[in-house]
Amino acid sequence: MDLLWSGLLQAIRLLLAGDPEVLEITGLSLMVSGGATLVALLVGVPAGTGLALTRFPGRNLLITLVNTGMGLPPVVVGLFVTLLLWRSGPLGALRLLFTPGAMVLAQLLIAAPVVAGLTLAGIQGLHPQLRLQLLALGASPLQAVWVLLREARLALLAAVMAGFGAVISEVGAVMMVGGNIRGQTRVLTTATVLEARMGHFELAIALGVILLALSFGVNLILTALQQRR
Amino acid sequence: MEPVLVELAGIAVRYDGRTVLDIPHLSVAQQEVLAVVGPNGAGKSTLLQVLSFVRVPDAGRMLYAGMPVGPHDRLPLRRRTATVFQGPLLCRGSVARNVALGLSFRGVPEPERHRRVMRWLDRLGIGHLARRPARELSGGEAQRVALARAFVLEPELLLLDEPFAALDPPTRDTLLMDLRAILTQAGTTTVFVTHDRGEALMLGDRMAVLMGGRVEQCDRPQQVFMAPATEQVATFMGVETILEGTVVGCGEGISVLEVKGIRLAAAGEHPSGTRVLACLRPEDVTLSREEGGPVPSSAGNRVRGQVVQLLPSGLQYRVVVECGVSLSALVTRASHQELGLRVGMQVLATFKASALHLISRPR
C-alpha cells in the first residue's frame, strides 16, 4: 500500500516538475495511439458503414473477420508487423521497424477492426427504413450516409473510445515493433514494463497513473461529446 | 382528365427469386390522389419505393411527366417528390431541423429554409414545437412533423406509406381531416398507401387494390367498394357474404340467380347460365321478425333463416343467419334490442337486388 501511495506521489511530482523524459514518453504515447486511432477512424468508419449498407456474397464472412479482429492479440499483431517490416520482409524497404511509424501501423491493425465493428453495429442499429426515408427526401447517397453517421453518433464515439482504449493500453505490439528505445520509441506502457522489471516500482506506478489519467482525460472529452443532446 | 404525371409499364420487383410486385400498367394523373390498398404483404410499400425512385425495379420502365426515367434521373426526380414512411423516422435535433432536412439536401439557403419550415409547421398546427427535440414528441406530433417534412418540399408527387397506421383513432381521424384539407387546397399529386379501407375512401380520387403484388382493381373508390372485380377484392372491401350461383333468367335490368336452391334477384342483366359469385355487404341486409317483415317488392330478396351467430362489433351487432346459405348482417344496437335477437331465433333477411353485386366466374 505504501508503495502505491508513494508511486502516486511520485507521479504528481514528475508531472508537476515537468520531467522532460516523462513528458516525452507521454507525448509519444498520445501521438502514436492518437494517430493510430485517427487513421483507424478513416479506415474503419467507411468500412463499417459499407458493410452495414451493402449486400454482397461473402459479406457475412467479412463481418466475421472484422468481429474476430476486434479481439486481435497485440503480440500477434506485433509479430506480424515485425515480419512485414523486417529488413528482408515485404515492406522492409520502408525501414520503418523500430520507429514510431511502425508502432502506429501495428496499433492501426488493432484499432481499425474495433472501429469498423462498432460502426457496423451502430449503423445496423438504426431504423432499417431510415436510409430509404433520407433518399426519398432527396438525399444523394453521400448525404444519406452523412446523416446516418450523425444518427449513429453514440456508437461512433463508443468506437473511438474503444479503439483508443485498445491501443493506448496495449504493450505487446509496440514493444515488438518499436523496441522500447529510449528517446525514440518508448511509450507509457513499455516504459512501465521496463521500470517494473528493473525494480523501480515507484516510477512504474507513476507511469501507470499517468497512463490512466491520460486515458481518463481523453474519454472524458469523448463522453462529453457523446452524451451531448 | 389531367395529364399523367407518373406511369409504370411492365414493372416487376423480385426478392429472393420471388416476384413481389408485378404491375403491367399503372398511372397517376396530375393533382390526383390515388389510394393504394391491400392486405399486409401485398407489395404496397414496394410499389411506393418504386414510385419514390429509391428502389430500382428488376424489369419494366417508368415515365415521369412523359419522359422515360433513366438511372441518372433518379436523384433529380427524388428531389421533385417527397415520401412519408410508416414510422415518422425522425432524426436527432429539433423539429425545425428535421423539417428542414430535405431542403438542406437540395441546398436551399437558410433564410428561405427557415421561412418554409415555419410556414408548414404552422400549417400543420405544430409551429410551437419548432425548437423541441424531435425524439421527445408524441406519436401524433411526430407524424405531423413527418408530414411537414414532406410538404415543406412542395413536391410534385407526394407519396404516403401508411402514415397513420401506428396512431390512435382520434389522432388519426384529426390528422386525416387536416391532410385532406391540405391536399384539396394544394392540389398535390398523391399516392397514398393504406390497409385501411376507410382512409382510402376518405382521401382517394381513385383506388388501386393491390394483392399478391398485382393490381386487382383500379377504379373510383365507390365503384371498388360497391362493385369489386374479384372475390379477393370483395373480401378485402368488407363483403362478408359471397355466394356461388348460376343465372337462371334476366330481364328489365334484373338477373335472377339460383344459389343452392334459393332464387335471388340481382341488379344488372347477365345471360342465363352464367356462373357468378354474388357479393352482399352485411350493412345492406335488414333483419326482421319472421311474422312481421317488410312488404316484399319485385326487386327485393326475402330469405328465411335461423340466427346461428351473434357478435358485438363496435356499436353494432354482427349476425350470421343460416338459410341454406350463410348470410352476414350488421344490425344496430337498437334493432338488436327491438328484435330481441338471440341465437336459434327464426328471422327474415331482406336485401335489395341492387345490393347484390355479381362477379362472373370463368367456366
Side-chain angles (χ1 to χ4, degrees), chain B residues 176-196:
Chain B
L176 259 174
M177 299 286 264
D178 289 352
L179 178 62
R180 196 165 85 144
I182 293 172
L183 287 181
T184 310
Q185 195 184 12
T188 310
T189 310
T190 305
V191 178
F192 179 80
V193 161
T194 178
H195 65 262
D196 186 298

Side-chain angles (χ1 to χ4, degrees), chain B residues 152-348:
Chain B
V152 77
L153 302 172
E154 288 160 15
E156 292 173 358
L157 176 63
L158 178 68
L159 302 148
L160 305 170
D161 188 0
E162 305 205 30
F164 311 128
L167 301 181
D168 57 79
T171 310
R172 193 192 63 172
D173 292 347
T174 322
L175 210 46
L176 259 174
M177 299 286 264
D178 289 352
L179 178 62
R180 196 165 85 144
I182 293 172
L183 287 181
T184 310
Q185 195 184 12
T188 310
T189 310
T190 305
V191 178
F192 179 80
V193 161
T194 178
H195 65 262
D196 186 298
R197 306 184 293 254
E199 286 181 7
L201 278 165
M202 188 167 165
L203 284 182
D205 296 319
R206 238 174 5 129
M207 186 192 255
V209 186
L210 203 62
M211 285 180 164
R214 293 164 172 272
V215 177
E216 292 278 320
Q217 189 172 5
C218 188
D219 213 323
R220 286 180 299 108
Q222 283 303 326
Q223 187 67 13
V224 179
F225 203 67
M226 299 311 295
T230 64
E231 185 179 356
Q232 289 78 13
V233 175
T235 307
F236 184 76
M237 294 312 291
V239 174
E240 291 180 15
T241 304
I242 300 176
L243 308 168
E244 287 184 27
T246 308
V247 177
V248 291
C250 71
E252 295 175 7
I254 296 286
S255 297
V256 177
L257 58 142
E258 195 171 281
V259 181
K260 291 190 178 169
I262 304 169
R263 294 219 161 188
L264 298 172
E269 294 192 16
H270 294 259
S272 283
T274 309
R275 295 173 65 213
V276 291
L277 290 172
C279 304
L280 180 61
R281 302 191 65 85
E283 50 271 49
D284 289 334
V285 180
T286 309
L287 296 185
S288 53
R289 281 180 174 277
E290 211 180 356
E291 60 269 23
V295 182
S297 73
S298 61
N301 294 293
R302 291 160 52 88
V303 192
R304 283 190 173 76
Q306 188 181 34
V307 175
V308 291
Q309 205 179 54
L310 192 60
L311 288 171
S313 169
L315 292 172
Q316 294 173 305
Y317 276 84
R318 191 167 297 276
V319 189
V320 178
V321 178
E322 184 57 49
C323 44
V325 294
S326 278
L327 291 185
S328 194
L330 269 180
V331 297
T332 60
R333 200 168 277 269
S335 300
H336 169 259
Q337 276 181 348
E338 194 182 314
L339 293 169
L341 283 178
R342 59 191 154 69
V343 171
M345 179 182 171
Q346 291 292 319
V347 288
L348 187 68

